[in-house]
């Protein structure tokens, strides 16, 4: 299996032609399709996930998103048997990014959802998973990698905006709770605001 270094601390580059991130591990998922004709990504959705819940570092998120999760391997997997889901990217606990779906395509991360009165958020959003739980503090490396990834996406897709970032819980209230109270929204917003006023070449 190919491995690459984490891109922590600097922005990875997004190739807008392919929708792929340079220099990150690619585990391409069959769980995607095309966005509606002419639709650009306008919303960033932050998620939290761990499989089984509360356990970090295993192969199971890759397996779920590639449709190869062995449902019998854990009791929790039985509860989600048959689930066909994906996200565009995952940020692991040490900050490594894994990409599953090109950002130009529609990943299956939001489910029944609405944002500013618009339903079906998968159509117009990019889904980023953080490996974690609602109650476990996300890591410094994850905040750094997330901010770098968002900066790269804002540059590659002018249809996105730093003002259009939501949690899964925000677009599917009552149904989803991730990324949970553990996610520090002011920290993310502060980092993005600081990056926005810094010259791009300033690193
Ligand atoms: Zn979610």
């Amino acid at each position: 299996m190919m491995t690459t270094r984490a891109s922590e601390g600097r922005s990875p580059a997004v190739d807008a032609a392919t929708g792929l991130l340079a220099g990150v591990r690619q585990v391409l998922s069959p769980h995607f399709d095309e966005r509606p004709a002419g639709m650009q990504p306008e919303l960033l959705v932050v998620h939290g996930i761990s499989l089984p819940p509360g356990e970090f570092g295993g192969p199971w998120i890759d397996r779920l998103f590639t449709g190869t999760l062995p449902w019998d391997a854990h009791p929790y997997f039985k509860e989600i048997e048959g689930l066909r889901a994906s996200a565009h990217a995952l940020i692991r606990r040490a900050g490594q990014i894994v990409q599953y779906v090109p950002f130009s395509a529609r990943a299956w991360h939001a489910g029944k959802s609405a944002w500013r009165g618009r339903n079906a958020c998968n159509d117009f959003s990019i889904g980023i998973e953080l490996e974690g739980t609602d109650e476990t503090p996300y890591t410094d490396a994850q905040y750094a990698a997330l901010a770098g990834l968002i900066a790269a996406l804002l540059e590659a897709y002018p249809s996105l905006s730093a003002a259009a970032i939501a949690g899964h819980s925000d677009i599917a209230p009552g149904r989803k709770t991730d990324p949970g109270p553990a996610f520090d929204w002011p920290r993310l917003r502060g980092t993005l605001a600081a990056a926005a006023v810094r010259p791009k070449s300033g690193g």
Side-chain angles (χ1 to χ4, degrees), residues 11-30:
S11 291
V14 177
D15 181 336
T18 61
L20 296 177
L21 267 169
V24 308
R25 193 163 154 261
Q26 306 278 346
V27 182
L28 295 183
S29 169

Side-chain angles (χ1 to χ4, degrees), residues 69-83:
L69 187 66
W71 310 112
D72 292 328
H74 188 278
Y76 178 74
F77 300 167
K78 274 304 224 191
E79 294 179 29
I80 59 171
E81 183 167 0
L83 176 67

Side-chain angles (χ1 to χ4, degrees), residues 47-48 109 129 168 178:
H47 298 260
H109 59 97
E129 300 275 0
H168 199 185
D178 61 300

Side-chain angles (χ1 to χ4, degrees), residues 69-103:
L69 187 66
W71 310 112
D72 292 328
H74 188 278
Y76 178 74
F77 300 167
K78 274 304 224 191
E79 294 179 29
I80 59 171
E81 183 167 0
L83 176 67
R84 297 177 74 221
S86 63
H88 291 92
L90 166 72
I91 301 175
R92 306 214 69 152
R93 298 296 291 178
Q96 307 99 325
I97 298 174
V98 184
Q99 183 168 16
Y100 300 97
V101 174
F103 297 112

Side-chain angles (χ1 to χ4, degrees), residues 21-182:
L21 267 169
V24 308
R25 193 163 154 261
Q26 306 278 346
V27 182
L28 295 183
S29 169
H31 297 163
F32 74 98
D33 50 18
E34 297 306 311
R35 296 184 189 277
M39 197 163 279
Q40 296 293 314
E42 297 175 45
L43 171 68
L44 288 163
V45 180
V46 178
H47 298 260
I49 188 174
S50 50
L51 284 178
E55 293 185 23
F56 304 148
W60 308 123
I61 300 171
D62 288 358
R63 300 288 299 269
L64 176 65
F65 288 169
T66 53
T68 61
L69 187 66
W71 310 112
D72 292 328
H74 188 278
Y76 178 74
F77 300 167
K78 274 304 224 191
E79 294 179 29
I80 59 171
E81 183 167 0
L83 176 67
R84 297 177 74 221
S86 63
H88 291 92
L90 166 72
I91 301 175
R92 306 214 69 152
R93 298 296 291 178
Q96 307 99 325
I97 298 174
V98 184
Q99 183 168 16
Y100 300 97
V101 174
F103 297 112
S104 48
R106 179 169 62 185
W108 303 346
H109 59 97
K112 184 174 164 50
S113 54
W115 181 70
R116 296 182 183 168
R118 294 170 69 189
N119 292 324
C121 294
N122 284 340
D123 288 356
F124 58 90
S125 68
I126 286 172
I128 302 171
E129 300 275 0
L130 302 176
E131 186 178 26
T133 78
D134 287 3
E135 308 293 342
T136 310
Y138 294 92
T139 69
D140 292 348
Q142 287 180 304
Y143 285 103
L146 178 61
L149 176 55
I150 289 173
L153 289 168
L154 292 175
E155 185 154 330
Y157 299 100
S159 49
L160 292 171
S161 159
I165 304 174
H168 199 185
S169 56
D170 298 318
I171 62 169
R175 194 175 70 79
K176 292 292 178 180
T177 60
D178 61 300

